[in-house]
Amino acid sequence: MSTKVPRETNPDAPHLPVLIDAILDNVAPQGVWVDGTFGAGGYTKAFLDKGASVIAIDRDPLVFEMAADWAANYPNLTLKRGTFSELDELAGELVDGVVLDLGVSSMQLDQAERGFSFLRDGPLDMRMGQEGLSAADLVNDGSEVLLADILFQYGEERASRRIAKAIIAARPITTTAKLVEVIESVLPQGNPSKSHPATRSFQALRIAVNDEFGQLISGLEAAERALKPGGELAVVTFHSLEDRIVKKYLQARAGKTGGGSRYAPEQQVDAPTFELITRKAVTADKDELALNPRSRSAKLRVGRRTDAPAADKGRAGLGLPKLTGQELL
């Protein structure tokens, strides 16, 4: 029987849970699940409607206010504010599954005052938790070297040095529209069919402001600690840097990192803590692509927890981009 769930047919709807059908085809939506990135609640609703209990976590306090009307209808839903890097502590129990959607919520992008979108003018903020360092702080107080490093390492922006130099010259920059103007001033006019010139820069600043890569590794480690033997971890990523980290993490925890030289001394290998459910990343099919353009860059990877105890295996070799030894400010 198909596990497909009903979808809104309007592509401009506030939120469509990306790859939800693929997730439900690869996991058992039963028992207690943690949705570590609640957002607009798309994944949570799908799991609740399949009979699971859900502990929903988000660092953004506004998302729970926006969910108040429908959340009250689900007695098996628990809402908790926090980051998914602490999901094991927030869950307070071993769970049957963890799902993470690493994309920016559609409703955050739609709120110009949050400063995430290069298509809507608003204050240059980008803080998911609405506290701490903002994008404006980084842009206006960071050194040229630091800004270039952030744009290159976190956004894979080839023109990072030119953009950083232009940012320094244009300070102060307090709005998203002004930052877009600065970026466009140093980049050639793009092909209308390709991504916006500011895409990579906005991605990089958002990642830096919210420590997204550090949170991702910590979240994967927290999921490893929280899952029961046989529990499932489903992670949806939206760009190559995230996907590489998730791929390398699951491969390393599954003991699939590849063999060394036959002449090298034998090394102690820890018992695998995950087995791979998806050998390759799952992407959206043509029906989902037509319905939801946001799914275009999404990739799903799923692993199943073994009965080996969770252990600190280190983060070396997980593809975690690093700034060149600099503090953000």
Side-chain angles (χ1 to χ4, degrees):
M1 176 181 287
S2 172
T3 60
K4 291 186 180 296
V5 296
R7 290 265 190 87
E8 297 174 81
T9 57
N10 177 9
D12 296 322
H15 181 78
L16 295 173
V18 173
L19 292 174
I20 184 59
D21 293 336
I23 291 172
L24 295 175
D25 283 340
N26 281 282
V27 306
Q30 302 166 355
V32 178
W33 274 74
V34 171
D35 181 350
T37 49
F38 177 69
Y43 292 123
T44 287
K45 285 182 181 178
F47 277 85
L48 289 169
D49 290 340
K50 289 293 181 179
S53 296
V54 178
I55 301 168
I57 298 168
D58 205 293
R59 64 165 67 176
D60 186 346
L62 293 180
V63 301
F64 297 132
E65 294 179 19
M66 298 178 71
D69 289 343
W70 65 263
N73 298 325
Y74 291 95
N76 51 341
L77 169 61
T78 303
L79 303 176
K80 295 194 176 185
R81 186 185 176 191
T83 63
F84 61 74
S85 61
E86 53 185 353
L87 67 86
D88 55 330
E89 298 176 8
L90 292 171
E93 61 180 307
L94 292 180
V95 299
D96 298 282
V98 174
V99 60
L100 302 173
D101 171 358
L102 302 182
V104 180
S105 168
S106 299
M107 62 184 184
Q108 287 176 330
L109 289 174
D110 289 340
Q111 294 172 332
E113 66 272 16
R114 301 299 301 275
F116 286 102
S117 177
F118 45 77
L119 299 177
R120 293 174 172 83
D121 189 21
L124 191 58
D125 194 325
M126 301 191 189
R127 294 173 298 174
M128 291 181 180
Q130 298 184 302
E131 57 190 13
L133 191 76
S134 71
D137 294 328
L138 265 183
V139 165
N140 291 297
D141 298 332
S143 69
E144 183 176 335
V145 172
L146 175 59
L147 291 173
D149 205 21
I150 288 172
L151 297 180
F152 183 76
Q153 294 292 341
Y154 293 171
E156 298 180 301
E157 175 55 72
R158 295 179 181 178
S160 59
R161 292 182 180 178
R162 281 188 288 146
I163 294 172
K165 185 175 182 179
I167 287 174
I168 298 296
R171 287 172 171 174
I173 301 172
T174 59
T175 67
T176 55
K178 178 63 175 178
L179 180 58
V180 169
E181 179 184 324
V182 172
I183 294 169
E184 290 180 328
S185 72
V186 296
L187 292 181
Q189 291 297 318
N191 186 322
S193 65
K194 295 184 178 180
S195 61
H196 190 283
T199 300
R200 294 180 183 275
S201 295
F202 269 63
Q203 170 189 301
L205 290 170
R206 190 200 76 225
I207 288 170
V209 165
N210 296 289
D211 185 28
E212 290 183 28
F213 292 140
Q215 287 287 319
L216 174 53
I217 294 291
S218 295
L220 295 172
E221 293 170 339
E224 184 175 328
R225 294 190 297 268
L227 286 166
K228 298 175 181 178
E232 295 156 327
L233 170 63
V235 186
V236 177
T237 63
F238 287 86
H239 57 78
S240 60
L241 294 171
E242 287 177 340
D243 180 61
R244 184 167 67 231
I245 292 171
V246 175
K247 174 183 177 181
K248 287 180 176 291
Y249 185 91
L250 288 175
Q251 286 181 336
R253 295 319 197 247
K256 305 293 185 181
T257 54
S261 167
R262 61 177 174 166
Y263 302 107
E266 184 175 348
Q267 296 181 341
Q268 180 68 36
V269 178
D270 293 326
T273 52
F274 278 96
E275 59 177 305
L276 303 179
I277 294 178
T278 55
R279 297 288 171 175
K280 295 182 179 180
V282 178
T283 57
D285 60 25
K286 63 180 185 342
D287 292 335
E288 180 167 5
L289 288 171
L291 182 65
N292 186 7
R294 182 172 176 261
S295 66
R296 185 172 55 248
S297 57
K299 293 183 178 180
L300 166 68
R301 295 187 186 272
V302 183
R304 180 180 292 114
R305 191 71 169 81
T306 70
D307 58 4
D312 181 9
K313 299 180 177 64
R315 299 181 175 188
L318 296 182
L320 187 64
K322 294 181 180 180
L323 302 182
T324 54
Q326 302 173 80
E327 297 295 332
L328 289 184
L329 286 181

